[in-house]
């Protein structure tokens, strides 16, 4: 016969199982890390080797926490590398606005070689006057002096993620025979922006000799149009490299060898260089809320929209999973009170 204490314990255990199942309900697992601190303006340089698999995205982005909450002004800046087409294409984007869908300024860039076969250096510069994107020392795009830039007024967290969109017209068809795939990040170098001198200075650099829990946290949520759940075990550091994995549900983690960076000496970009059409070509995708009804636009917004989060994430902490736990506790207390 159940005593109130035993019944309470059983209900709490059931609630814990429901919490786990609600958080990890999808057949595929991706990875995301996000900074514990947010930053306003700066220069972000990273060296990455990305995943090559249709239907996947390897990303770096800055994100105003809580942007996805209804009627909140969204602020986000993206670097998203497509796994389709031999991983030769990537997208730069600024996402803004209170209305849904949001205003976006997507532009797709094509590299002469695969971005998944070697490490490449990406730079994002964000100031009060402009936002600029660089690849391997060459400026690819710059947005200057528009409301798109001046509307980016709040501090943003720093994030990397590897995921799969269900919008195949945007990212290409998904085939799970490609799995597992990985995104490798050898370092992130952040420099703060001095608005007086208009220079980048100070800051910090993470060489990923270990996973710094004082600086980073791991996501454990998903969102609409995301084929994967973000699993903490798919974000790890090995041999001085951050590894983000996209796997099947029962095959998480990474046990392989980290690919060496054969050209690490060329890991610094020069912001004085101008765009070069010989290295890349660009095609404009969309620039307004009206055009963002396409699969490209709606999926780009989804690339950082958590629906179930932990502290530091973009949404309310716990979501529906916490509701089950609260219900179990409440029911247990009522039973104990009736027996008393």
């Amino acid at each position: 016969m159940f005593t109130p204490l035993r019944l309470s314990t059983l209900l709490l255990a059931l609630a814990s199982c429901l919490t786990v199942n609600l958080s990890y309900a999808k057949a595929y697992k991706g990875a995301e890390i996000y900074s514990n601190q947010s930053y306003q303006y700066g220069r972000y340089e990273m060296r990455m080797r990305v995943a090559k698999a249709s239907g996947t995205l390897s990303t770096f982005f800055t994100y105003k926490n809580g942007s996805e909450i209804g009627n909140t002004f969204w602020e986000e800046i993206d670097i998203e590398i497509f796994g389709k087409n031999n991983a030769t294409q990537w997208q730069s984007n600024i996402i803004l606005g209170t209305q849904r869908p949001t205003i976006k300024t997507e532009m797709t860039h094509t590299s002469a070689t695969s971005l998944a076969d070697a490490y490449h250096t990406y730079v994002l510069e964000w100031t009060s006057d402009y936002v600029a994107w660089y690849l391997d020392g060459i400026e690819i795009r710059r947005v200057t002096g528009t409301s798109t830039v001046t509307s980016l007024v709040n501090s943003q967290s720093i994030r990397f993620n590897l995921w799969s969109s269900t919008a195949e017209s945007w990212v290409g068809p998904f085939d799970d025979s490609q799995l597992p795939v990985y995104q490798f990040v050898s370092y992130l170098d952040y420099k703060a922006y001095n608005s007086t001198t208009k220079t980048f200075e100070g800051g910090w650099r993470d060489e990923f000799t270990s996973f710094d829990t004082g600086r980073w946290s791991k996501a454990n949520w998903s969102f609409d149009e995301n084929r994967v759940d973000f699993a903490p075990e798919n974000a790890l550091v090995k041999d001085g490299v951050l590894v983000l994995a996209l796997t099947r549900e029962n095959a998480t983690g990474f046990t392989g060898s980290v690919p060496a960076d054969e050209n690490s000496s060329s890991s610094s970009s020069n912001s004085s260089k101008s765009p070069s059409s010989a290295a890349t070509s660009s095609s404009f995708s969309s620039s307004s809320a009206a055009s963002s009804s396409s699969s490209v636009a709606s999926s780009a917004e989804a690339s950082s929209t958590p629906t179930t989060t932990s502290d530091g994430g973009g949404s309310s902490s716990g979501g529906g999973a916490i509701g089950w736990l609260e219900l179990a506790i409440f029911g247990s207390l009522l039973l104990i009170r009736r027996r008393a």
Side-chain angles (χ1 to χ4, degrees):
M1 181 176 179
F2 286 114
T3 65
L5 179 60
R6 291 178 65 188
L7 185 57
S8 175
T9 302
L10 179 62
L11 288 170
L12 287 173
L14 177 61
S16 298
C17 292
L18 287 169
T19 299
V20 171
N21 289 336
L22 287 168
S23 299
Y24 299 95
K26 297 181 180 180
Y28 306 103
K29 306 302 171 187
E32 175 173 310
I33 69 167
Y34 58 94
S35 62
N36 298 327
Q37 182 177 341
S38 293
Y39 304 86
Q40 185 182 28
Y41 310 136
R43 182 181 187 274
Y44 308 87
E45 176 182 312
M46 70 228 67
R47 193 153 171 84
M48 297 192 297
R49 180 167 175 163
V50 300
K52 184 193 296 185
S54 179
T56 67
L57 290 156
S58 303
T59 83
F60 168 85
F61 59 106
T62 63
Y63 178 74
K64 186 188 77 176
N65 294 339
S67 287
E68 78 290 344
I69 299 172
N71 298 320
T72 300
F73 193 86
W74 197 298
E75 296 178 52
E76 177 179 342
I77 311 172
D78 294 340
I79 296 173
E80 296 179 300
I81 302 96
F82 297 103
K84 66 179 181 179
N85 298 331
N86 199 34
T88 55
Q89 293 180 308
W90 62 283
Q91 178 174 281
S92 58
N93 195 13
I94 297 173
I95 304 177
L96 294 166
T98 303
Q99 299 297 316
R100 305 294 188 262
T102 49
I103 298 172
K104 303 171 183 69
T105 60
E106 295 147 337
M107 185 177 286
T108 300
H109 317 281
T110 301
S111 173
T113 59
S114 174
L115 299 171
D117 292 343
Y119 289 83
H120 294 269
T121 304
Y122 301 82
V123 171
L124 171 65
E125 290 183 356
W126 170 31
T127 77
S128 54
D129 301 315
Y130 71 90
V131 176
W133 294 259
Y134 299 81
L135 176 61
D136 292 332
I138 298 172
E139 182 178 312
I140 305 301
R141 182 187 181 192
R142 179 176 292 242
V143 179
T144 304
T146 66
S147 60
T148 302
V149 173
T150 58
S151 296
L152 295 165
V153 297
N154 290 290
S155 298
Q156 301 185 29
S157 59
I158 303 169
R159 301 182 181 230
F160 293 93
N161 69 19
L162 175 60
W163 64 290
S164 174
S165 173
T166 58
E168 293 189 357
S169 60
W170 181 42
V171 300
F174 178 76
D175 179 358
D176 65 6
S177 67
Q178 307 166 109
L179 302 181
V181 292
Y182 307 100
Q183 174 181 350
F184 302 97
V185 185
S186 61
Y187 70 85
L188 174 69
D189 188 276
Y190 165 74
K191 286 183 170 52
Y193 180 66
N194 187 320
S195 57
T196 302
T197 62
K198 297 189 179 300
T199 58
F200 299 102
E201 57 192 33
W204 48 266
R205 183 181 178 98
D206 198 330
E207 297 276 0
F208 295 112
T209 55
S210 64
F211 189 84
D212 185 351
T213 56
R215 177 172 289 150
W216 303 103
S217 293
K218 300 179 182 182
N220 64 347
W221 54 72
S222 189
F223 49 82
D224 292 341
E225 298 189 37
N226 188 354
R227 186 175 279 106
V228 309
D229 297 308
F230 292 135
E233 56 268 34
N234 271 359
L236 59 126
V237 167
K238 184 175 182 180
D239 299 334
V241 173
L242 171 68
V243 182
L244 303 180
L246 200 161
T247 67
R248 291 182 175 83
E249 183 176 17
N250 298 318
T252 55
F254 175 75
T255 59
S257 299
V258 174
D261 187 352
E262 303 295 341
N263 194 26
S264 59
S265 61
S266 62
S267 62
S268 180
S269 66
N270 184 346
S271 60
S272 66
K273 293 183 179 180
S274 59
S276 171
S277 58
T280 61
S281 62
S282 301
S283 60
F284 202 77
S285 300
S286 65
S287 61
S288 67
S291 62
S292 64
S293 60
S294 66
S295 298
V296 175
S298 61
S299 301
E301 176 182 335
S303 68
S304 62
T305 312
T307 55
T308 304
T309 76
S310 60
D311 291 344
S315 187
S316 57
S317 179
I322 296 299
W324 282 104
L325 181 57
E326 290 169 345
L327 181 61
I329 293 172
F330 181 68
S332 301
L333 290 174
L334 286 177
L335 287 170
I336 294 170
R337 185 177 179 181
R338 290 184 63 184
R339 292 295 185 93

